Amino acid sequence: MKILTCTTPGKFEYGETDMPVLTADHAIIRIKRIGICGTDLHAFEGTQPYFSYPRILGHELAGELVSFDNAPGFTAGEPVTFIPYFNCGTCVACRNGKPNCCTNIKVCGVHVDGGMVEYLLVPSASLVHGEGLSMDALALVEPLAIGAHGVRRAGVTPGEFVLVIGAGPIGLGIMEFARIAGAQVIAMDINQSRLDFCKEKLKVAHTVNAKTEDVMAALRQITGDDMPTVVIDATGSQQAINNGFAYMAHGARYVLVGLQKGEIAVSHPEFHKREATLMSSRNATREDFEHVIRCMKSGEVDPTTYITHRVRFGEVKDEFESWLNPANGVIKAIVNME
């Protein structure tokens, strides 16, 4: 079968390898759609933590279930996606219902080879029914689940102001699920076209351009001097993450969904006097995947809104680098395998 490997930062190579062989408690999926996410882009740039080369990228996936062992309720030929965080099931996190941050986690396309292939072997326990959704929609369940998980971690309540820093695909998903939770959402970015997208496509009422506006003044005006009670970073930028501490209301929660390689710097007195809460949000759980699918089926989330670029598998090598350029307006690129 055909594969595409990121051999070193900045370089892809097409190749061929043997078809996967079905093993106990696993399933084989014929890949139909591949979503390109920030993790893939950062891996290509060489800035992704937890990463080594060469690596087959891809974990936002949808396809057709070909064969399986020990997957009750599933049928060969049905459309599926899957939870691409392969956990051990026995560590302290797994035992406490947090398989998304398993101490031995193997994320598809990060720690182990991913889905830029024609056929992929995955644990049967990771399979998720398609529920009548399109292949495009199924490929977007995972990134939206990341956003849903971050909102759940924050414990967002109706009416409160939630500042989402970063209007990329993950940030947009966070905005969607904060809205569904009843929040007043504030979108912040340095890219005005992405902020316009938030207004026009997601109906976000409040936007702040951190490059051209006085951020503190804008936030005080929007919140009536209170400042946001929830701040969620989806940039993966060290500077943006460190700046985010200043935007918190007293008693606020700060959730880091974005990931960067450096250290966090915070004024302890400023953080302490707020009795603030800092937490990370890693991956997502089956509960989050199911929430996303329900919201897609009900029409509360339209996954097609996010797709701005589409290529065939054979075009990825030549097109991939262009998706790093903000001028090209990429929200979500989708790869068609057919």
Side-chain angles (χ1 to χ4, degrees), residues 22 48 54 97 114 125 137 140 173 177 184 192 201 223 228 240 285 308 325:
L22 185 64
Q48 176 64 31
L140 288 169
F177 286 95
Q184 300 185 69
Q192 188 59 46
K201 301 294 186 180
T223 64
T285 66
T308 54
N325 186 347

Side-chain angles (χ1 to χ4, degrees), residues 21-29 65 67-71 86 120-127:
V21 176
L22 185 64
T23 56
D25 299 318
H26 282 72
I28 295 175
I29 300 172
L65 184 59
S67 58
F68 55 86
D69 175 70
N70 193 20
F86 306 148
L120 185 65
L121 182 75
V122 303
S124 296
S126 70
L127 292 173

Side-chain angles (χ1 to χ4, degrees), residues 242-290:
N242 289 340
N243 288 346
F245 286 94
Y247 308 147
M248 302 170 70
H250 281 238
R253 294 94 74 199
Y254 189 8
V255 182
L256 303 183
V257 178
L259 177 65
Q260 50 85 34
K261 285 185 172 183
E263 295 182 352
I264 295 169
V266 56
S267 165
H268 190 176
E270 289 296 320
F271 185 77
H272 196 92
K273 76 181 185 183
R274 287 169 169 77
E275 197 179 57
T277 300
L278 173 65
M279 64 187 87
S280 60
S281 178
R282 190 179 187 194
N283 300 325
T285 66
R286 183 170 290 274
E287 179 180 350
D288 302 310
F289 274 67
E290 291 172 349

Side-chain angles (χ1 to χ4, degrees), residues 88-158:
C88 71
T90 58
C91 73
V92 62
C94 291
R95 295 197 309 271
N96 286 299
K98 295 182 70 67
N100 55 300
C101 61
C102 166
T103 62
N104 303 301
I105 201 163
K106 298 291 186 288
V107 177
C108 182
V110 178
H111 305 101
V112 295
D113 284 339
M116 290 193 180
V117 298
E118 291 184 281
Y119 293 86
L120 185 65
L121 182 75
V122 303
S124 296
S126 70
L127 292 173
V128 177
H129 290 288
E131 299 285 349
L133 297 174
S134 69
M135 288 292 177
D136 284 350
L138 287 175
L140 288 169
V141 171
E142 190 273 341
L144 289 170
I146 298 287
H149 188 72
V151 169
R152 187 156 64 91
R153 285 281 286 155
V156 172
T157 58

Side-chain angles (χ1 to χ4, degrees), residues 1 20 33 58 74 191 197 208 226 277 333:
M1 64 174 180
R33 297 287 189 279
F74 285 87
N191 184 323
F197 183 94
V208 177
D226 284 343
T277 300

Side-chain angles (χ1 to χ4, degrees), residues 200-325:
E200 296 164 10
K201 301 294 186 180
L202 302 188
K203 309 304 180 186
V204 173
H206 308 288
T207 62
V208 177
N209 188 319
K211 190 174 184 179
T212 61
E213 297 182 57
D214 181 332
V215 172
M216 296 296 289
L219 292 176
R220 291 192 182 282
Q221 190 277 324
I222 292 167
T223 64
D225 282 334
D226 284 343
M227 300 300 282
T229 50
V230 173
V231 178
I232 305 179
D233 178 82
T235 66
S237 160
Q238 185 179 43
Q239 181 179 351
I241 289 170
N242 289 340
N243 288 346
F245 286 94
Y247 308 147
M248 302 170 70
H250 281 238
R253 294 94 74 199
Y254 189 8
V255 182
L256 303 183
V257 178
L259 177 65
Q260 50 85 34
K261 285 185 172 183
E263 295 182 352
I264 295 169
V266 56
S267 165
H268 190 176
E270 289 296 320
F271 185 77
H272 196 92
K273 76 181 185 183
R274 287 169 169 77
E275 197 179 57
T277 300
L278 173 65
M279 64 187 87
S280 60
S281 178
R282 190 179 187 194
N283 300 325
T285 66
R286 183 170 290 274
E287 179 180 350
D288 302 310
F289 274 67
E290 291 172 349
H291 180 39
V292 169
I293 289 172
R294 285 195 300 271
C295 290
M296 285 184 176
K297 291 178 68 176
S298 69
E300 292 178 281
V301 173
D302 179 3
T304 62
T305 301
Y306 297 88
I307 300 172
T308 54
H309 294 65
R310 187 185 298 273
V311 299
R312 296 192 177 277
F313 187 55
E315 300 169 323
V316 176
K317 180 180 176 179
D318 292 335
E319 294 291 330
F320 196 94
E321 189 169 5
S322 70
W323 299 332
L324 293 165
N325 186 347

